[in-house]
């Protein structure tokens, strides 16, 4: 079975689906996004609930107990979606798993204040899935043809300086690609087996 995972509640509106598809099975939600984009669900939950409908029956994966600041927003997401009978199911990451993954990658040369959500998700996928193909893991401001590209497909908001070590993460993922542990797609998808479908 194919499983489509997405990081940090990305938009899947019609202007993007031609390139990124619309299927989702697992979507990560960083608590900082809940604080910034949805005012920590303190004032209006309707906007959040409406935004979540695009993810259909996806699992929403959150690090509720890995940091003190993540617990409250994660619980608010859980209760908000539960209260309205939403189609999504909230899953909380095991903090021991997150710590172990952090130690593992640190021992392999990634020295960052915190790993990116993408690397956590790829790490989980490698432990759960027979085949892993990743797209969009490119940490540079130009593509391989030296054309400027944005940080995300939907915006160019960069991570806080010194917070993540994206080039180091990319090198580790590229190594995994080279040894056949995963497939990393760097150019636009032309192979129909990699193209997202609606």
């Amino acid at each position: 079975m194919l499983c489509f995972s997405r990081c940090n509640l990305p938009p899947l509106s019609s202007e993007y689906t031609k390139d990124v598809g619309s299927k989702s099975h697992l979507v990560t939600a960083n608590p900082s996004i809940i604080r910034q984009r949805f005012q920590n669900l303190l004032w209006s939950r309707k906007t959040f609930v409406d935004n979540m409908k695009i993810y259909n029956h996806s699992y929403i994966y959150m690090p509720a107990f890995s940091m003190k600041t993540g617990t409250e927003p994660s619980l608010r997401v859980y209760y908000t979606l539960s209260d309205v009978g939403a189609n999504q199911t909230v899953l909380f990451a095991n903090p021991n798993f997150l710590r172990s993954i952090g130690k593992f990658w640190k021992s392999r040369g990634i020295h960052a204040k915190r790993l990116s959500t993408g690397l956590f998700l790829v790490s989980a996928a490698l432990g759960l899935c027979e085949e892993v193909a990743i797209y969009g893991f490119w940490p540079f401001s130009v593509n391989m043809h030296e054309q400027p590209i944005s940080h995300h497909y939907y915006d160019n908001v960069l991570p806080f300086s010194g917070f993540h070590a994206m080039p180091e993460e990319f090198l580790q993922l590229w190594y995994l690609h080279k040894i056949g542990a995963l497939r990393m797609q760097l150019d636009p998808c032309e192979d129909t087996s990699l193209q997202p479908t609606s």
Side-chain angles (χ1 to χ4, degrees):
M1 176 184 143
L2 279 175
C3 178
F4 291 87
S5 301
R6 301 179 187 275
C7 292
N8 291 333
L9 302 180
L12 296 177
S13 51
S14 57
E15 63 193 290
Y16 303 120
T17 53
K18 179 181 178 287
D19 295 315
V20 300
S22 60
K23 286 185 179 177
S24 296
H25 298 102
L26 178 74
V27 182
T28 66
N30 192 313
S32 64
I33 291 172
I34 304 304
R35 283 192 294 272
Q36 295 160 8
R37 210 186 300 168
F38 301 105
Q39 295 74 48
N40 221 5
L41 299 175
L42 290 171
W43 309 109
S44 172
R45 303 188 313 173
K46 183 180 185 318
T47 303
F48 174 73
V49 170
D50 288 346
N51 272 258
M52 297 305 287
K53 288 176 182 173
I54 60 169
Y55 302 120
N56 297 313
H57 293 276
S58 297
Y59 291 101
I60 308 301
Y61 186 72
M62 300 189 72
F65 307 112
S66 59
M67 300 171 295
K68 209 177 231 186
T69 56
T71 304
E72 189 177 321
S74 298
L75 290 173
R76 286 183 191 279
V77 166
Y78 171 80
Y79 286 116
T80 296
L81 294 176
S82 179
D83 287 351
V84 299
N87 291 327
Q88 300 79 33
T89 302
V90 178
L91 302 176
F92 293 147
N94 184 321
N96 292 327
F97 169 75
L98 299 179
R99 272 192 295 275
S100 296
I101 292 296
K103 287 178 185 174
F104 173 83
W105 287 116
K106 189 171 185 178
S107 74
R108 277 151 181 80
I110 297 179
H111 302 289
K113 190 170 183 181
R114 190 178 321 149
L115 298 177
S116 72
T117 303
L119 188 57
F120 276 118
L121 192 56
V122 169
S123 300
L126 286 168
L128 295 170
C129 308
E130 288 182 23
E131 292 181 42
V132 176
I134 60 175
Y135 183 78
F137 287 79
W138 182 258
F140 310 110
S141 58
V142 294
N143 65 16
M144 292 191 301
H145 308 289
E146 298 186 20
Q147 300 164 319
I149 56 172
S150 64
H151 185 66
H152 300 119
Y153 68 82
Y154 51 89
D155 70 28
N156 198 28
V157 176
L158 301 174
F160 293 120
S161 179
F163 208 68
H164 297 311
M166 297 300 202
E168 290 177 8
E169 290 188 7
F170 174 79
L171 288 175
Q172 292 295 327
L173 292 171
W174 182 247
Y175 171 74
L176 292 174
H177 169 79
K178 295 303 275 182
I179 65 170
L182 56 75
R183 270 191 308 161
M184 178 183 273
Q185 182 72 22
L186 297 178
D187 279 321
C189 292
E190 291 178 13
D191 178 354
T192 53
S193 68
L194 286 177
Q195 283 188 334
T197 56
S198 299

